[in-house]
């Protein structure tokens, strides 16, 4: 038997029902969908496929339903290089999302389906997570699973690097995803903690408060050399602001970075593409890439993905990212 791939992600594999709408409807208002189609998505799957496109060996721990949506998700994964051997099948309806995308490329997402919410780890999953090199976890992961991942990582003889993306606001996660108490554990345990503006505001109270609390958590963690990655500037946290860039807190130091400006068609999956870029630069192969180079690479992955529709269609190869950066004077 062979061991797990170097990177394991825990997250949903979902089918996105995509509506290109004339506008986001106001309360009691409406909108017209000029096009309706479906595409593959889910935070966990998005990150995995992005890493696969970059040439990384990656596996997904997930759960789908024994229905049309679940079958389509598994068929799609089979056409990628992602190891889907840890994607289980249950009787609950598959997780799926309705995405409203307006002409400016902004989107709103509504998710349904119980399959991923009912994911639980078995002994083989725990062993694989403890034996891999890097683990990715999303805030949409059920709380019991998030706690089990933390326990597996922290109890490993050689702990893997851990990346956590808060993904959604607290009120959206309650009863569905990772609970605040576990998020606090992850804030202190993760080598990389990522949160977008909406999630950060809901959990921390605002951007300034988020920076202060994250820096305090990093200081409370103690010597950064105790990180599973070791070296300077660990642990790291990134607060993303969409087209307005990102804020990085590394070992208590705060830095601001710009996003790349592109002709955006659809921002769906941009955050997941960005996280995949960070994992590629900062975690994979035990990378020791500096903060600035890692953020710039990840921002390029996200920007390129925004130039195509859907969460995964525009995910770039490594050569495409390098060419993009070269054009912009890397």
């Amino acid at each position: 038997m062979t061991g797990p791939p170097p990177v394991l992600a825990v997250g949903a594999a979902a089918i996105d029902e995509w509506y290109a709408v004339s506008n986001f409807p106001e309360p009691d208002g409406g909108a017209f969908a000029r096009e309706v189609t479906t595409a593959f998505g889910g935070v966990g799957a998005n990150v995995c496929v992005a890493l696969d496109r970059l040439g990384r060996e990656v596996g997904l721990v997930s759960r789908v339903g024994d229905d049309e949506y679940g079958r389509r998700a598994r068929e799609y994964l089979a056409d990628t290089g992602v190891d889907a051997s840890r994607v289980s099948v249950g009787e609950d309806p598959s997780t799926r999302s309705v995405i409203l995308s307006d002409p400016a490329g902004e989107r709103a997402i509504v998710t349904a389906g119980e399959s991923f919410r009912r994911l639980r780890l078995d002994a083989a999953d725990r062993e694989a997570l403890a034996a891999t090199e890097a683990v990715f976890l999303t805030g949409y992961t059920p709380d019991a699973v998030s706690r089990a991942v933390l326990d597996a990582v922290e109890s490993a003889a050689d702990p893997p690097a851990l990346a956590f993306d808060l993904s959604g606001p607290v009120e959206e996660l309650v009863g569905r995803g990772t609970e605040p108490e576990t998020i606090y554990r992850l804030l202190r345990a993760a080598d990389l903690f990522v949160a977008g503006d909406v999630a950060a505001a809901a959990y921390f109270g605002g951007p300034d408060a988020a920076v202060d609390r994250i820096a305090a958590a990093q200081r409370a963690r103690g010597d950064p050399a105790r990180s599973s990655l070791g070296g300077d500037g660990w642990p790291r946290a990134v607060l993303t602001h969409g087209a307005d860039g990102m804020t990085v807190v590394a070992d208590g130091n705060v830095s601001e970075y710009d996003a790349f400006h592109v002709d955006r068609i659809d921002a769906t999956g941009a955050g997941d593409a960005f996280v995949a870029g960070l994992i590629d630069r900062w975690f994979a192969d035990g990378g020791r890439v500096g903060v600035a180079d890692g953020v710039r690479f990840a921002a390029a992955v996200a920007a390129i993905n925004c130039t195509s529709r859907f969460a995964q269609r525009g995910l770039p190869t490594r050569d495409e990212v390098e060419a993009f950066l070269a054009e912009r004077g890397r």
Side-chain angles (χ1 to χ4, degrees), residues 20 35 55 73 135 165 199 206 234 250:
E35 181 181 357
V135 173
D165 183 0
W234 291 99

Side-chain angles (χ1 to χ4, degrees), residues 193-216:
F193 185 95
V194 181
D197 281 339
V198 173
Y203 186 74
F204 297 107
D208 292 339
V211 170
D212 291 342
R213 287 191 62 185
I214 289 169

Side-chain angles (χ1 to χ4, degrees), residues 125-315:
D125 293 329
R126 291 183 174 88
E127 291 175 3
L129 290 163
T132 191
E133 297 175 10
V135 173
F136 168 73
L137 189 62
T138 165
Y140 293 125
T141 303
D143 189 67
V145 176
S146 293
R147 287 186 278 110
V149 171
L150 262 171
D151 292 342
V153 168
E154 292 178 339
S155 63
D158 184 14
L162 177 61
F164 175 73
D165 183 0
L166 185 53
S167 305
V170 174
E171 59 268 23
E172 183 186 353
L173 301 180
V174 171
R176 170 194 176 195
T178 305
E179 299 288 345
E181 182 178 347
T182 309
I183 291 171
Y184 183 68
R185 280 186 63 191
L186 285 158
L187 176 61
R188 301 202 39 186
D191 297 287
L192 171 62
F193 185 95
V194 181
D197 281 339
V198 173
Y203 186 74
F204 297 107
D208 292 339
V211 170
D212 291 342
R213 287 191 62 185
I214 289 169
Q218 290 179 353
R219 289 191 295 271
R221 183 169 174 171
D223 183 355
R226 294 176 59 190
S227 163
S228 57
L229 294 172
D232 295 332
W234 291 99
R236 295 172 181 173
V238 183
L239 303 175
T240 59
H241 316 302
D244 294 327
M246 60 285 304
T247 302
V248 179
V249 187
D251 193 20
N253 299 313
V254 180
S255 304
E256 303 286 344
Y257 295 91
D258 293 328
F260 288 106
H261 294 288
V262 295
D263 293 330
R264 182 175 59 179
I265 294 176
D266 183 10
T268 305
D272 303 334
F274 179 74
V275 172
L278 293 180
I279 292 172
D280 177 89
R281 293 288 78 200
W282 286 348
F283 288 174
D285 297 332
R288 298 293 192 272
V289 175
V291 171
D293 285 345
V295 170
R296 187 168 172 81
F297 182 91
V301 176
I304 296 169
N305 196 44
C306 287
T307 61
S308 297
R309 292 192 303 171
F310 314 130
Q312 297 181 17
R313 182 172 292 180
L315 289 169

